[in-house]
Each structure stands twice: as C-alpha cells, then as structure tokens.
Amino acid sequence: MDRRGSGDRQLLLWFFAVATAVKLLLIPSYRSTDFEVHRNWLAITHSLPLSKWYFDETSPWTLDYPPFFAYFERFLSVFAGLVDTRIVDLQSGLDYSAESVIYFQRISVIVSDLCLLFGLYRLTRNLEPIKRNLICALVIWSPGLLIVDHIHFQYNGFLLGWLLLSISFLQDGRDLLGGFLFAVLLCFKHLFAVAAPVYFVYLLRHYCWSGLATGFRRLVTIGAVVVAVFAVAYGPFIYHGQIQQVIKRMFPFGRGLCHAYWAPNFWVFYIILDKGLAFLLRKLGFDIQIPFASFTGGLVGESSPFAVFPQITPLTTFAMVLLAITPCLLKAWQKPQPGVVARWIAYAYTCGFLFGWHVHEKASLHFTIPLAIVAVQSLEDAKHYFLVSIVSCYSLFPLLYEPQEYPIKVLLLLLHSMVMWLGFAAQHGDEKALKKKKTGDIKSKFGIGCFEKSYLMGLVIVETVSQFLHPYFLGDKFAFMPLMLISTYCAVGIMYSWIWQLRRILT
Amino acid sequence: MPKNKPAKFSGNDNAAPASTQSGASIDAWWWLAHKGTTASFLCISLFALLIRSAVSLYPYSGAGTPPKFGDFEAQRHWMEITTNLPTIDWYRNGTYNDLTYWGLDYPPLTAYQSYIHGIFLQMFNPESVSLLSSRGHESYLGKSLMRWTVLSSDALIFFPAAFFFVLVYHKTRNGSSKSEVAWHIAMILLNPCLILIDHGHFQYNCISLGLTVGAIAAVLYESEVLTCVLFSLALSHKQMSAYFAPAFFSHLLGKCLRQKSPILAVLKLGIAVIVTFVIVWWPYLHSLDDFLMVLSRLAPFERGIYEDYVANFWCTTSILIKWKKLFTTPSLRSLSLAATVLASLPSMVQQILSPSNEGFLYGLLNSSMAFYMFSFQVHEKSILMPFLSATLLALKIPNHFNHLTYYALFSMFPLLCRDKLLLPYLTLHLLFTVIYHSHENHHAKQKTKASSFSFTNFPGYVFLRRTHFFISLVLHAVYLTIQPPQKYPFLFEALIMILCFSYFIMFTLHTNYTQWTLSSHFRSGEKEKKQI
C-alpha cells in the first residue's frame, strides 16, 4: 500500500512536471495588461507604506484585490527587488518589459501553482488511482488555466489550489479548517464569495448543528475563526481608517453589467433580446429611443442601456444569483453530505457566472475546476463535464486575439478534449466485454449524445465564421459581431450546464 | 498535454497487455494507449504540435542581427527568390539573385517547397517576400507565418511518416504492448533536437527526415519501390539525407540478391530512383550546364572540412593535428570520403550478407554516424540524422538512447545559446527526461537484457559515464557563467566538443558491435520462420 502511495505521488509530480515544461515554454507568449497590473501591485506594495496601498493612483491599474493578495504581492516583491530593482519602482517600472520582469513574474505564477498541486494531492489522495489521475489531468493540464494564468497572466492556479484545499478538508469532515481556508481565500480574491452562502449553510448544518451546547460552542468557534481571519486581513486598514476606500476599490460597481468582451452568461440573451425587440418594435412603428449608455460602461446617471427591458442594477443581479443558488442551499440544509460539497460549490460559481454583475469570461474557471472533481463520480457527470469544459475553454479564446498564439489555443483545446475523451473512456471501460476478448480494443460506455455532439460541432462553425469568414467578407464592418457570436453560442452551453447541474442537485 | 495513467486497478488490469502486469506498479501510458495506436498517436501528436508551437514563440537564428542574419533569413530569401524568378534562374547568379547572399544551396525539392511557402507568405504578407526590398525582413506577422510553414510541414510530412513507421514497426515486432507503442511514439515526435532546430533555430529538417522515415517504414512494409521513391525525394530535399544512403543501398541490395532474379530486382529499383530524380530535377535537365550549376551549388567544398565546433572526428582531432594546414582541400575531400566509406563499411557488409529489419535500423544509425564523424563539411545540426535513427530504435536501446539524446543536445548547446534558445533547451531536456522515465517497467526489462551485452559491462563503464555526465553538467554552468580566457575564446566550445565526441565514439562502437552480434541471431530467426 505504501509503495503504491509513493508511486501515485510520483505520478502526480509527473503530471506537474509535464505541465511545468509547457508553462516554461509559454513564457515569451502574449501577455495582457494584467501583467502590468500585477507588476504595478508589486511596486505599490514594495515602495509604499501599507496606509497608501489603496490610495495610490500612479498607474491606472490600481490595487483592487483584497488585502491578503496585497500581502502576497508584498511577499513576492521582496524577491522581485532582488532580481531587478526597477520591477518594484513605482515610476520607472511603469510598463517595464525587460526580460527580468517577464521571467520573474511568469516564474512566480509557475511556482505559485505548487499550491494547486498540493490542493489536488490532498483532495485526491484517497481516491482510486484512475479517478485521481483523471482529476489531475483535468486540473493540472486544464487549458483554461494555462490560457488565463500562463499566457494572459493571472494567479488563478494558486487561488483555485486554495479552494481545492478547502474542499478537501470539508470532504474529510474537518469543517473548521475548511471554513478557515475559505475565509482566507475570500481575503485573497473576493470574487470567490459567490460560494459563501453554500459554505455558510453547510457549515451551520454540518458543523454547528449538533446539540445546543456543542452547537453553540462550535458556532462561536467558527465565527471567531472567520472574524480573526478578516481582522488579520482588514485590521490594518481599519486601524488607518481606510476601510471605505478599500471596499470602494474592491467593488467598482461603476463598471457596468458586462465586461468589454461579454462573458457567455444570461445577460447576453437579455441584451440581445432587448436589441431585437427594439428593432422589431421600431419596424412596427413604435417610437423606441436608441439608448445612449452602454452595458460595458458605468451607470451614467439615470439613463438605461436597455431600450425595452427594465434596467438591471447590481442589486438585481445579486438577488438573481442568490435566488439561483437557493435550491442548492435547501439541499445543503436538508442533507449536508461532505461528498456533495464540491458539486454545490461548483454550482454556486456557475450561478455567479451566469447572473453576476460585470462578470469576466475568466470566472468560468471557478466552476470548471471544481467540476473536474465531480466529473469522475459518474458517467453522466463525465459527459456533462466533457461539454462544459470545452465550451468554457472555447469562450476564453477571444482573450488571446494575436495571431501568434492562435495555434497554441486551438491545440490546447483539442488536446484537452482528446485527453478527456481517452480518460473518461478508460474510466468507463466496459468490463464485461473486456473479459471476453482480452486483446481487442475495449468498448467504452463513454460517449456523448447527438444533441451535444452537434452543439460541439457548431463551435467549429462559430470559430470559422468569426475568425475567417467574417474578416474575409465583411472586413472591419460589424467588428463586434464575431465576439457577440462567440458569447451567445457559448452562453447556450453554459446555460445548459447550469440547468443540468440544477437538475442533478435536486434529484 | 497528454499521457499517463496507471494500470493498477481492479478489473481493468486485464486491459493492460500481459507485459505490463509483471514488474513495476506504474504503467504511465495505460489510459492513453488503451484505445489503440491511432488514438494514442493523435493525442501525442497534438501534444507534440503544442510543444512545437510554444517553442516557435522564441527567437530564430540571426534574429535582429544584420547584415547576414541567419538560417531564418536564408529560408525567407529562398522564398523571395523562388516566388519572383523563373525556375531556371533560382540557382543562377544574376541581377536579382545574388548567390553570395544566402544563395540557394539545397536540391530542387527544397526550392519547390520554398516556392509553395513563398506563395503562402505572399498571400498574407506580400512585403515579406517582395524581390530585393524584403532582404532582412523581420516582422511579427512574417515570423508567425514562417513559423507556421514549418509547423504545417511537420504536421503534414513528418507526423504521417512517423505514424506509418510506428504502425509497420510494431506490426513486425510482435509483443510490444500498447504502452510501449505510445512511449515510442512520444520518443519519435518529441525528439528535442528536431524541435529545437526546426522550430527554434529555423530549418525544414522535418521534411527530409519525414521522407526518410517514410522510406524506412516502406522498407519494413516490404515495399521497395516506395522506399526508393521516398528516399530519392528525401535526397532531393536535402543532400544531407545521403547520410542514410549506405544503409538503404546495402539493405536493398542484400534483399535483391536473395530474390530469384537479382538483376531484375535491382533494375526495378534503379528505375524507380531514376524516374523520381528525373521528375524532381526536370527543369534543370535540359542542358548539362544547368545541371552542373545546380550540382556545384549543392557541394560547397570551398567552405572547408568542418565549421564551428562540431563534435566529429576532423574537428576534434584538429586540436592535435592541423588537418587544414597539412592537406589541401581536394586531398582532404578524398581523405574524408575514404574514412566515411571505411567507417560505414562494416554495417553495409552486414546488411548485404544478411538483410534484416532490425539490422537495417542499426545500419541507418551506423552509416549516419559514420557520415557525421568523418564526412566533409559537417554542421553540429547534422547530429539530427544519427539521432533520428536512434529514436526509431528507442525501444531496443533505451538506455543508450537516453544518453545519446543528452549528448546530442549538448553538442548543439553553444549553437542554441547563440540563438537565445537556452530556456527551450533546458525545458525540452526536462520534458524529455520526464516522458522518457514514464515507462518504468520497460527499463526494468531492459536492464536484465543489457546484461547479456558485454560492451556496457566493462567494469569502468558506469564510472566513466557518470564522470562524463558530471563534467557535462559543470560545463553547462561554466559556459553560461564564466568568460573564456582571451587567448582561447572558444575554449568551452572545444571542451564540449571533446566531451560529446568521446561519447559519440563509444556509442558508435557499441551500435556497430550490436549490429554484428544481431546478425547471427537474426539469421537463425529467419531460418526458423522459413521452415514454418
């Protein structure tokens, strides 16, 4: 047993080593403005006292993550300063793009992925080998993580590793530690708060709901832990009397319903239906004003970006997310099982992605990564995951718009699909047929339905139209069309996944 | 990123082929390989393409170094020449074609390939191939387009050829498990030397090597005519494919001699070769002058017996014996020819006497190594040829293959450093090591097998190899950190060369020895087959 354990650990490292090789090779690839954002944060945290972190406006890329992430940047900046002092210089470091800064920041992401590795190791150590390795392949080699973290530039691998670690403690029944880690995660990146209701209900019911005395003691304990975490994070800023400024930075509601590139969520349909209806009504002779405000821009006074439909405010989206999560909260209340926690958390993030305010396409990682854990549980889950991970990865394509990375993103997606296909087929191999003929190819029960297959084939058409046919025939006219097409088409897939997950949770 | 999965779980153990059940507990390739060769090949080739496109993000040789730039500019210049001038002028000096500036010096198939790629570039980025004005053209789009031509050549020629080879090789070689096949595919497609030179440094070796692999597969497939056609094409793409010629020649001759009417068989193959050459060389066959003009471009004897610091016999021994001073170029030419023939003779004789598939693969390795060691005008990149034949034999000689990869890469280390490809060099080293070691039980098997060979069992061998390896590690570090003394600016290059040379010599001796010890065993094997 021991020997097998060490062998499996080796295998996990093997996955990680292969992924690391790819990540290292991707160092000179395109990097978005997020690269400069993080460099600027290194400079801010390194050269300014804590009391000025959330006030600095030297660069437009101001610090807008919670304090732990700022501390994390402060920690990194120590090494950055050793590598090249210009990286952490507030003024002369602006848009610095020497090899030193590129290598430093890229390698910092690669190293911080060790957190993901540990989270995965802890989460999967007691599973059967095939499941464990499938999860590792799906998460460590996730094309979405590679695209967003190692090309586009962010630290999602690190944060998601933290989330997986928290889930692994919940699955072990060590609720207090799981809750603690989640609280810490929230202080790293507040966007993870979408799953907070699930955590709250689950912990309340599973951890605190045991007799009056113990229950109360536990409630106090966990409350104290959470408060302590937040105190460590925000305490210094409260001390300086800056908490309002911190919160203002963290929640920039002035940003509009959609991101510049519409994330494939519910609001895409809302906007398109609004446009369509307005167009139709105008044709029918109604007097419909063309709205001045845009959905991507901030809220400009009282004007609404919608022509027909009612205005959407952050509060509406908040209510809708909460409403969408409710069924899962009820389930969590009825039967708080550690085995289903990952599914609930993934579902919560799906809801947040679909109905949230100013959602980034990158947020789809928040549910595809936890869903990978769920995917190995049954054949149905595997089929669902196959679809949703392809769609969510494809929806990230517009992030890398430069020609140089085109083959890379396409190959990443194809490879991921192929790996999933082979992996799930191996997991769900037909054992009876297998025993009969030992040598031949194994028939597998894994396969996707007609509807799903044609939907995925449709992705090829969407890609061809938006990448080749549209620029060829229309040139620069209707430049928004390709992105809108991708968003809408992917939104269908994500909506399907949401409904599927909802049904799965309820039954 | 593909590959991996253990076979150890109930029920599915049966799915793993018999060989994986014994011995080690991990069979990293099970889940990838269970669907059969085609699926695993597809998966690994996607990964291999991903690695290639990632490497192509890095700089190419001579990036931003006017006036001559490097191989990238040479290839681009050929596209410029071929798309803008009539075929007959491609090799001729003229107002528009200055042969001293990267004149075309590869056979016509390379020129046609440049023409096709040139048209592709013209479609999307006409400035990059416009006549004269595009000299030294460097742009973001131009680089991407050029990189994609290599990527597509690789995918369209090398990959299918490798697939053909793997299918045929493992059909003839009974008893290779699915995991072994997958491992072998990865070794062929993730060949770090080829990736670094083609997609980093920038060349089109994948085409000529792909055609050669196709020809090798055709030999195993027992389709001699196809072999001749494919190998003639390889020769017409890069004259360096001649490194393999002795092996093809001797093996096919040996086979023909065993047929009922040997002369007819030889004649058939001869015609296939001639027809292929005539078709490819047709534009230059109308007059003798044209033909000789092209030929003279292909053999640049004036460039000397070696260039830079290549780990072959002439260059290494020149530290002690100043060949260039002792002999004139023509006499050096004959000397090197004689040495090359002599060095490849043993393996040729073996193949003529008893042609066999296994022996043929060793023959390829030995003849290409003989050329690398002794022929005229060898580049450090030429190690690709012997290395390719070693990848095909990876399942037979895994340990030696592992070491050869290391030293073959190391011999190109100074070149790759000059091209600013240090990180891909290190990363592909890592990747190769990681994937090489994913096939645990295979090594266990190999170790027991290796004990039957006497060569590696010399008492000092392991010690020697380790010392060797240690020195090479130190040299890596020294090369990167320390400035060489002014009196000997190329001291470290020379040291690297000596180190690699000594390994290559040991390796060649070993493979030659193996090929000869194979033959007796194989002849008896064939006899048994015939009796059945």
Side-chain angles (χ1 to χ4, degrees):
Chain A
M1 191 63 207
D2 247 347
R3 228 185 114 211
R4 208 184 81 174
S6 78
D8 291 330
R9 219 169 303 146
Q10 258 179 23
L11 215 62
L12 190 66
L13 285 175
W14 188 93
F15 279 100
F16 192 70
V18 172
T20 305
V22 176
K23 291 168 191 173
L24 284 171
L25 286 176
L26 288 174
I27 284 180
S29 60
Y30 155 84
R31 39 185 202 283
S32 72
T33 47
D34 275 357
F35 184 82
E36 171 61 15
V37 170
H38 286 91
R39 194 220 48 81
N40 187 44
W41 293 356
L42 285 175
I44 289 176
T45 51
H46 191 263
S47 40
L48 293 178
L50 186 130
S51 58
K52 288 188 182 155
W53 285 0
Y54 285 91
F55 283 96
D56 181 77
E57 281 177 356
T58 322
S59 151
W61 313 117
T62 52
L63 183 59
D64 58 6
Y65 269 28
F68 274 165
F69 203 85
Y71 300 155
F72 173 64
E73 292 281 1
R74 175 74 187 93
F75 171 72
L76 287 181
S77 72
V78 174
F79 302 98
L82 294 177
V83 172
D84 183 350
T85 44
R86 210 177 138 188
I87 299 176
V88 291
D89 193 295
L90 211 49
Q91 293 295 338
S92 68
L94 286 179
D95 290 317
Y96 189 41
S97 59
E99 285 205 335
S100 62
V101 65
I102 294 172
Y103 277 78
F104 175 77
Q105 293 218 74
R106 289 282 196 201
I107 289 173
S108 74
V109 181
I110 294 172
V111 173
S112 71
D113 273 354
L114 282 173
C115 183
L116 183 70
L117 183 71
F118 181 68
L120 266 179
Y121 164 68
R122 211 174 172 289
L123 190 73
T124 59
R125 76 213 141 103
N126 292 326
L127 288 175
E128 299 162 44
I130 179 80
K131 286 186 179 173
R132 175 190 5 236
N133 291 297
L134 248 172
I135 293 178
C136 293
L138 295 179
V139 175
I140 295 183
W141 293 344
S142 155
L145 272 181
L146 282 169
I147 288 176
V148 176
D149 279 12
H150 301 277
I151 302 180
H152 176 90
F153 199 86
Q154 275 192 352
Y155 288 91
N156 289 297
F158 165 69
L159 298 168
L160 285 165
W162 211 265
L163 178 69
L164 294 185
L165 205 60
S166 160
I167 295 177
S168 87
F169 279 110
L170 290 191
Q171 285 189 345
D172 286 359
R174 294 167 73 178
D175 292 341
L176 188 61
L177 215 49
F180 164 72
L181 287 170
F182 185 70
V184 173
L185 179 67
L186 288 186
C187 296
F188 269 111
K189 191 172 180 178
H190 49 305
L191 287 180
F192 282 97
V194 180
V198 175
Y199 266 89
F200 178 75
V201 171
Y202 176 79
L203 288 178
L204 192 65
R205 184 80 166 102
H206 190 256
Y207 182 68
C208 307
W209 212 261
S210 52
L212 201 62
T214 24
F216 186 72
R217 203 194 67 228
R218 284 179 169 185
L219 190 66
V220 170
T221 321
I222 199 157
V225 165
V226 173
V227 169
V229 169
F230 277 79
V232 170
Y234 295 93
F237 300 96
I238 295 173
Y239 172 77
H240 288 290
Q242 299 171 347
I243 196 68
Q244 268 190 323
Q245 169 71 9
V246 174
I247 287 172
K248 209 179 98 196
R249 280 279 176 85
M250 278 165 49
F251 298 96
F253 281 118
R255 275 192 188 171
L257 178 59
C258 290
H259 186 51
Y261 156 61
W262 305 351
N265 62 10
F266 174 77
W267 303 116
V268 171
F269 298 123
Y270 193 81
I271 292 168
I272 288 187
L273 219 62
D274 178 70
K275 293 256 182 211
L277 263 180
F279 180 77
L280 209 74
L281 290 177
R282 238 172 274 140
K283 282 269 166 198
L284 290 173
F286 288 92
D287 180 31
I288 304 282
Q289 296 281 313
I290 298 170
F292 294 108
S294 92
F295 339 98
T296 53
L299 294 165
V300 190
E302 288 296 299
S303 80
S304 155
F306 298 99
V308 187
F309 285 164
Q311 159 84 303
I312 300 295
T313 61
L315 206 65
T316 333
T317 60
F318 179 73
M320 277 188 73
V321 172
L322 210 60
L323 191 71
I325 300 177
T326 314
C328 142
L329 297 182
L330 291 176
K331 272 281 164 190
W333 184 260
Q334 275 174 357
K335 253 192 193 169
Q337 294 163 301
V340 206
V341 161
R343 194 187 289 280
W344 291 331
I345 290 171
Y347 173 76
Y349 284 126
T350 316
C351 297
F353 182 81
L354 269 182
F355 303 108
W357 179 262
H358 196 83
V359 173
H360 284 238
E361 64 286 37
K362 283 156 269 180
S364 65
L365 284 175
H366 294 182
F367 60 87
T368 37
I369 299 297
L371 272 179
I373 307 157
V374 181
V376 298
Q377 290 176 359
S378 76
L379 184 61
E380 292 305 309
D381 284 307
K383 286 177 182 174
H384 162 249
Y385 186 74
F386 186 78
L387 185 95
V388 73
S389 80
I390 290 178
V391 174
S392 80
C393 173
Y394 178 71
S395 73
L396 295 173
F397 270 24
L399 276 181
L400 313 180
Y401 54 88
E402 297 206 17
Q404 189 175 241
E405 281 77 20
Y406 191 77
I408 295 180
K409 64 182 181 183
V410 173
L411 284 167
L412 273 173
L413 178 57
L414 288 178
L415 189 61
H416 179 63
S417 325
M418 186 88 195
V419 167
M420 270 197 291
W421 183 270
L422 288 173
F424 287 137
Q427 191 198 353
H428 300 288
D430 195 345
E431 283 169 33
K432 276 178 196 162
L434 208 144
K435 272 167 192 159
K436 273 181 209 157
K437 46 169 194 171
K438 280 184 182 173
T439 45
D441 287 344
I442 309 138
K443 280 262 161 56
S444 173
K445 283 178 283 189
F446 180 74
I448 51 170
C450 221
F451 173 72
E452 284 90 345
K453 221 177 253 174
S454 37
Y455 176 76
L456 289 178
M457 285 298 134
L459 285 178
V460 180
I461 298 170
V462 168
E463 179 64 6
T464 325
V465 169
S466 60
Q467 283 294 318
F468 303 105
L469 299 182
H470 182 271
Y472 187 76
F473 288 109
L474 292 170
D476 288 341
K477 267 188 275 171
F478 306 113
F480 62 93
M481 278 291 282
L483 289 186
M484 205 174 85
L485 184 64
I486 296 175
S487 295
T488 325
Y489 197 79
C490 291
V492 175
I494 306 281
M495 279 296 264
Y496 165 81
S497 157
W498 173 65
I499 294 165
W500 190 93
Q501 286 184 56
L502 183 63
R503 270 185 49 198
R504 182 85 191 182
I505 284 170
L506 289 179
T507 52
Chain B
M1 288 117 274
K3 68 241 23 147
N4 241 6
K5 212 106 301 189
K8 264 267 157 119
F9 54 96
S10 61
N12 272 323
D13 247 358
N14 298 337
S19 64
T20 57
Q21 288 178 0
S22 58
S25 58
I26 314 169
D27 178 359
W29 298 87
W30 176 78
W31 73 301
L32 174 67
H34 76 109
K35 280 254 183 193
T37 312
T38 316
S40 21
F41 187 88
L42 249 167
C43 191
I44 299 170
S45 54
L46 283 174
F47 181 65
L49 281 173
L50 177 72
I51 294 296
R52 280 162 167 76
S53 36
V55 170
S56 61
L57 297 171
Y58 284 81
Y60 42 81
S61 68
T65 54
K68 266 279 207 175
F69 301 95
D71 274 347
F72 178 85
E73 171 62 8
Q75 298 284 352
R76 195 211 51 74
H77 178 64
W78 296 347
M79 293 180 196
E80 168 199 335
I81 293 297
T82 49
T83 43
N84 290 298
L85 297 181
T87 317
I88 199 75
D89 287 339
W90 289 353
Y91 290 90
R92 186 181 287 155
N93 210 10
T95 33
Y96 294 115
N97 188 8
D98 176 11
L99 286 184
T100 56
Y101 184 80
W102 298 118
L104 195 52
D105 54 6
Y106 281 142
L109 200 60
T110 295
Y112 304 147
Q113 164 246 314
S114 296
Y115 177 71
I116 294 169
H117 288 153
I119 288 177
F120 171 72
L121 255 74
Q122 221 164 26
M123 253 161 49
F124 295 100
N125 193 14
E127 310 91 71
S128 66
V129 285
S130 63
L131 195 57
L132 296 180
S133 70
S134 67
R135 279 212 184 160
H137 175 94
E138 286 187 296
S139 64
Y140 175 83
L141 188 62
K143 180 192 170 191
S144 299
L145 290 171
M146 289 281 280
R147 291 292 200 192
W148 292 345
T149 61
V150 191
L151 207 61
S152 59
S153 312
D154 222 341
L156 294 176
I157 296 175
F158 188 79
F159 282 58
F163 184 54
F164 182 30
F165 173 82
V166 169
L167 277 186
V168 183
Y169 178 71
H170 289 283
K171 205 172 233 176
T172 52
R173 179 183 185 271
N174 284 326
S176 32
S177 70
K178 283 177 180 172
S179 310
E180 274 178 333
V181 178
W183 182 81
H184 196 194
I185 295 170
M187 287 297 112
I188 296 173
L189 295 186
L190 289 170
N191 174 341
C193 300
L194 185 63
I195 296 177
L196 284 170
I197 292 298
D198 275 12
H199 301 272
H201 177 86
F202 203 92
Q203 280 194 344
Y204 290 91
N205 293 298
C206 51
I207 299 180
S208 59
L209 292 181
L211 291 167
T212 310
V213 172
I216 296 167
V219 168
L220 306 186
Y221 193 58
E222 296 187 344
S223 161
E224 280 81 18
V225 177
L226 185 63
T227 308
C228 290
V229 172
L230 286 175
F231 189 60
S232 307
L233 287 176
L235 273 174
S236 317
H237 188 267
K238 260 195 155 178
Q239 58 271 45
M240 268 76 108
S241 307
Y243 282 35
F244 298 115
F248 277 101
F249 172 77
S250 57
H251 179 78
L252 292 180
L253 184 68
K255 260 188 179 170
C256 287
L257 292 178
R258 268 158 189 74
Q259 288 184 358
K260 274 174 198 157
S261 49
I263 298 175
L264 209 73
V266 172
L267 211 65
K268 195 171 84 181
L269 299 187
I271 290 171
V273 171
I274 290 168
V275 168
T276 316
F277 269 101
V278 167
I279 292 173
V280 174
W281 288 68
W282 186 249
Y284 306 100
L285 295 179
H286 297 300
S287 78
L288 190 63
D289 281 351
D290 287 341
F291 182 64
L292 289 178
M293 175 186 75
V294 178
L295 272 194
S296 70
R297 293 290 311 154
L298 303 189
F301 286 118
E302 70 280 2
R303 282 165 79 177
I305 189 157
Y306 53 80
E307 261 179 21
D308 293 340
Y309 283 83
V310 50
N312 78 349
F313 175 77
W314 303 113
C315 194
T316 310
T317 50
S318 72
I319 293 172
L320 300 171
I321 310 160
K322 298 292 166 206
W323 300 104
K324 282 182 179 173
K325 282 183 192 156
L326 281 175
F327 298 95
T328 58
T329 304
S331 57
L332 266 182
R333 210 189 308 169
S334 348
L335 198 65
S336 73
L337 181 69
T340 314
V341 171
L342 216 65
S344 52
L345 211 55
S347 94
M348 285 176 73
V349 170
Q350 191 271 340
Q351 275 303 287
I352 293 172
L353 290 180
S354 63
S356 67
N357 287 344
E358 200 77 41
F360 170 61
L361 293 177
Y362 276 103
L364 288 166
L365 184 52
N366 291 328
S367 79
S368 52
M369 212 49 171
F371 268 75
Y372 178 79
M373 283 292 170
F374 298 108
S375 74
F376 202 82
Q377 246 283 306
V378 175
H379 294 251
E380 52 279 66
K381 283 158 261 170
S382 306
I383 193 65
L384 281 179
M385 257 68 78
F387 186 64
L388 176 82
S389 24
T391 53
L392 302 183
L393 274 169
L395 274 170
K396 278 279 152 197
I397 44 166
N399 288 325
H400 291 283
F401 170 64
N402 187 14
H403 306 145
L404 181 71
T405 311
Y406 181 79
Y407 289 104
L409 267 172
F410 188 40
S411 74
M412 298 193 298
F413 180 57
L415 172 83
L416 295 169
C417 277
R418 243 177 291 143
D419 290 343
K420 300 191 188 98
L421 293 171
L422 178 65
L423 190 68
Y425 170 87
L426 296 174
T427 311
L428 287 185
H429 246 329
L430 165 83
L431 190 66
F432 173 83
T433 315
V434 164
I435 292 179
Y436 173 86
H437 287 289
S438 62
H439 198 176
E440 294 294 341
N441 46 327
H442 184 77
H443 300 299
K445 235 172 26 184
Q446 186 56 34
K447 266 170 203 155
T448 56
K449 227 180 183 180
S451 60
S452 62
F453 293 144
S454 56
F455 184 78
T456 50
N457 285 353
F458 285 140
Y461 178 75
V462 175
F463 173 72
L464 194 68
R465 215 193 59 220
R466 290 205 176 133
T467 327
H468 223 192
F469 179 68
F470 178 70
I471 297 173
S472 74
L473 285 185
V474 173
L475 266 180
H476 269 116
V478 165
Y479 186 85
L480 290 175
T481 49
I482 300 177
Q483 282 282 323
Q486 285 202 325
K487 208 174 160 196
Y488 306 104
F490 296 107
L491 175 71
F492 300 140
E493 275 92 346
L495 287 175
I496 291 174
M497 171 187 80
I498 294 170
L499 203 69
C500 293
F501 173 75
S502 54
Y503 179 77
F504 292 157
I505 280 288
M506 278 200 296
F507 179 79
T508 318
L509 288 176
H510 172 72
T511 50
N512 268 294
Y513 171 79
T514 315
Q515 189 184 351
W516 272 89
T517 44
L518 263 185
S519 75
S520 55
H521 162 77
F522 247 82
R523 245 177 298 168
S524 59
E526 267 179 15
K527 268 177 205 162
E528 272 168 35
K529 263 188 198 166
K530 272 177 196 165
Q531 279 166 2
I532 294 163

